[in-house]
Amino acid sequence: MEFTAIILAGGQGTRMKSPLPKVLHPVAGQPMIARVIGTCRQAGITQVRVVVGHGQSLVKTVLEPLNVSTHVQEQQLGTANAVQSANLESLETDVIIMNGDHPLITDQDLKNFISDFKEQQLDLAVITVELDNPAEFGRIVRKHDQLVSIVEAKDASMETLKIREVNTGIYLAKASVLKKYIPLIKNNNSKKEFYLTDLIDLALTDRLKVQALLSKNTDVAHGVNNQAELAEATKKVFQSKTKKLMENGVIFIDPQATHVEEGVIIGAGSVIYPGAFIRGKTAIGAFTVIEPNCFISDSIIGDSVHMKAGSYIEQVIIKNKASVGPYARLRPETTIGESAHVGNFVEMKKVNFGNKSKAGHLTYLGDAEIGEDVNIGCGTITCNYAADKKKYKTVIGDRVFVGSDTQLVAPVTVESDSLIASGTTVTKNVPAGALALSRSPQVNKEGYAKKFQKKSES
Ligand code: UD1
Ligand code: CA
């Protein structure tokens, strides 16, 4: 779309009371500024200019991969001065001006504004909303329905403060309008700032086509100025995500108590219990159950998977019909095969765990290739980290039975169909079909128990 976005993100955000620049505060896991830029992209706006100021070096590092141009506003002299910093002379398209701290605006909102602006062939438009509590917002003054001016709350009379229609801080303008009028704005107001709102007065004086476009979505005016407004924005994003998922047949026991980030995909018929936190690029199939308090990040989970309570899953692939947990910890680069079972207090890191294999209890597997239909007994440990501070691999073939309390000292290979007796420390490769056993023979000394107990009492 032939439109340029100018996003104002130079302000300090004093009321956030936080060392982080305001626009870097995350809303549902994504920095506010990245969210606003992402929304522009979804609306088809390819050219994005961001005005930075306070905390600019940190803000720039976040902007770096987002393919935007950054423009430094040396001193925060007001919103008009911020726009002026965006190299207006080089503008070739119509422009939408947005605030970096209004994270709830949607691509559909932007598309609506742009199509209204084009349809009505306007020179300048300001987006407004009606609020029950207009608080500190600039008031929209109309005469016979026509926009007359925007008055900042601080400069407004008691009568003007009663107006409920407010300035969202979003404007659409022809490039020529910005080029001509922004430099003419003066700072004769209570804050001694260059107000972007004065653009309206200048354009109206010159009889340009200017409109206040009333948006039904009041969320476009949700500015984040403090931590409470940030938390509220995050809550709204999570709620709208669960709502969308429910519309697509995902079952939530308590949607308010469940957090699913926007990028997550979940198939119909899956059930998500309260306390689940699902983030990043996670995809979950159909008919999968995620029990309470599971944390799932950047993972691919198949159909009919059962993830039991309290599991912690990062960058993992879990195939169809597998079951995991309760209290499983699966770390990056782990794949759990189809119909496999990973039980309680099992940790895995960099493991390929084959179809139908089982590790039911209290086990650590790291840097391991584990075949199909393998049984890993309780208390099995791969000793993958050696004294030379290097990691070594354990390879286990198909249908191996690993008895309880086995240590596999890597590098080691256990071939298919073999059996490892419980309590064995495996230090040598085990050939296919063999029994591996390393136990010191048991000695029973008759009557010793009593003797020993007496001794220790005295
Ligand atoms: C502004 C509007 C007000 C509107 C409100 C909506 C003006 C004068 N007032 O007020 O009518 O109701 O937004 O939220 O425009 N910024 C800079 N550089 C500056 C000043 C601000 O980059 O020198 C950025 C801020 O980071 C922020 C945005 O511009 O993203 C808005 O600035 P802010 O100071 O929050 O304006 P408001 O006083 O809220
Ligand atoms: Ca603001």
Side-chain angles (χ1 to χ4, degrees):
M1 194 185 305
E2 280 302 297
F3 239 89
T4 302
I6 298 179
I7 301 174
L8 309 186
Q12 184 166 18
T14 324
R15 281 176 290 161
M16 297 301 283
K17 302 268 169 73
S18 157
L20 196 64
K22 173 155 87 173
V23 291
L24 296 189
H25 283 75
V27 168
Q30 194 185 19
M32 264 191 267
I33 187 71
R35 179 172 291 277
V36 174
I37 293 167
T39 306
C40 288
R41 302 292 190 216
Q42 282 161 19
I45 300 171
T46 46
Q47 300 183 56
V48 177
R49 302 181 179 197
V50 182
V51 178
V52 297
H54 277 285
Q56 51 172 287
S57 57
L58 217 52
V59 176
K60 279 178 180 166
T61 55
V62 172
L63 295 178
E64 176 87 44
L66 299 178
N67 195 23
V68 297
S69 61
T70 54
H71 303 267
V72 177
Q73 182 192 20
E74 296 297 346
Q75 272 182 295
Q76 278 57 61
L77 301 176
T79 42
N81 179 257
V83 173
Q84 185 151 24
S85 313
N87 189 16
L88 300 180
E89 306 73 47
S90 68
L91 282 174
E92 283 171 349
T93 70
D94 292 346
V95 177
I96 182 162
I97 298 169
M98 300 158 70
N99 289 339
D101 58 355
H102 283 215
L104 297 181
I105 191 162
T106 67
D107 56 330
Q108 193 54 52
D109 291 325
L110 294 180
K111 284 180 194 160
N112 293 346
F113 303 158
I114 288 171
S115 74
D116 287 352
F117 179 77
K118 283 189 170 162
E119 250 164 51
Q120 300 184 36
Q121 299 184 322
L122 300 176
D123 295 311
L124 176 64
V126 56
I127 305 300
T128 68
V129 293
E130 276 180 350
L131 297 179
D132 291 336
N133 174 19
E136 295 301 304
F137 282 92
R139 303 300 201 271
I140 299 296
V141 182
R142 289 181 189 257
K143 210 175 200 173
H144 311 301
D145 265 3
Q146 278 304 304
L147 174 64
V148 180
S149 77
I150 304 176
V151 180
E152 288 306 288
K154 284 195 184 67
D155 301 313
S157 67
M158 287 307 282
E159 205 50 39
T160 305
L161 284 175
K162 286 184 191 151
I163 297 171
R164 286 176 45 229
E165 188 183 4
V166 301
N167 172 18
T168 62
I170 303 161
Y171 311 79
L172 295 93
K174 290 201 168 129
S176 58
V177 172
L178 297 183
K179 287 179 197 179
K180 180 166 178 195
Y181 294 101
I182 292 283
L184 303 181
I185 291 173
K186 304 216 161 52
N187 65 346
N188 44 7
N189 50 58
S190 64
K191 280 170 89 182
K192 291 276 163 285
E193 282 188 2
F194 295 88
Y195 284 174
L196 186 51
T197 46
D198 289 355
L199 184 61
I200 303 289
D201 302 77
L202 292 173
L204 283 171
T205 309
D206 275 5
R207 300 185 171 278
L208 299 188
K209 257 190 116 180
V210 186
Q211 279 287 0
L213 303 173
L214 182 68
S215 162
K216 283 201 191 72
N217 179 12
T218 54
D219 279 351
V220 300
H222 186 105
V224 170
N225 297 301
N226 54 44
Q227 298 295 339
E229 285 168 352
L230 178 70
E232 214 178 300
T234 289
K235 191 170 178 182
K236 282 192 172 181
V237 171
F238 278 129
Q239 283 180 352
S240 90
K241 176 66 179 179
T242 44
K243 186 165 170 272
K244 266 185 226 155
L245 289 167
M246 287 189 286
E247 283 161 9
N248 291 322
V250 178
I251 300 157
F252 286 91
I253 309 294
D254 182 355
Q256 317 271 24
T258 312
H259 298 86
V260 181
E261 285 184 7
E262 279 169 305
V264 173
I265 300 167
I266 305 180
S270 283
V271 182
I272 316 294
Y273 278 78
F277 201 112
I278 307 174
R279 59 174 314 277
K281 294 194 182 86
T282 296
I284 297 176
F287 303 110
T288 281
V289 176
I290 308 291
E291 287 191 5
N293 302 330
C294 288
F295 176 88
I296 305 171
S297 181
D298 299 308
S299 294
I300 298 170
I301 298 172
D303 299 334
S304 304
V305 168
H306 190 171
M307 188 177 296
K308 295 181 190 168
S311 296
Y312 194 102
I313 312 293
E314 295 168 277
Q315 294 169 47
V316 164
I317 298 171
I318 301 176
K319 301 210 172 143
N320 298 345
K321 292 185 250 169
S323 65
V324 166
Y327 308 107
R329 174 155 190 228
L330 301 180
R331 295 165 57 195
E333 294 178 60
T334 294
T335 298
I336 305 298
E338 200 166 312
S339 302
H341 170 64
V342 178
N344 36 206
F345 306 108
V346 173
E347 176 180 350
M348 292 194 197
K349 160 90 195 290
K350 277 197 185 180
V351 174
N352 226 327
F353 197 69
N355 298 340
K356 291 186 276 174
S357 288
K358 295 188 178 80
H361 339 256
L362 298 156
T363 286
Y364 171 66
L365 302 175
D367 299 286
E369 287 289 334
I370 293 171
E372 299 198 353
D373 236 335
V374 170
N375 185 81
I376 303 285
C378 175
T380 298
I381 297 169
T382 53
C383 310
N384 59 327
Y385 186 54
D388 62 5
K389 302 201 168 164
K390 287 187 184 141
K391 299 264 176 76
Y392 293 96
K393 210 166 166 177
T394 300
V395 179
I396 297 180
D398 298 334
R399 297 171 300 280
V400 172
F401 186 97
V402 179
S404 296
D405 190 27
T406 292
Q407 298 94 54
L408 297 140
V409 182
V412 72
T413 298
V414 178
E415 290 182 15
S416 295
D417 300 299
S418 56
L419 168 65
I420 298 173
S422 49
T424 297
T425 302
V426 182
T427 51
K428 290 189 288 200
N429 293 347
V430 180
L435 165 70
L437 178 94
S438 78
R439 285 181 197 159
S440 29
Q442 183 171 331
V443 196
N444 290 337
K445 302 208 170 175
E446 298 285 342
Y448 257 57
K450 231 178 205 164
K451 228 166 121 186
F452 181 76
Q453 276 161 356
K454 260 198 197 137
K455 246 189 204 164
S456 57
E457 271 161 22
S458 64

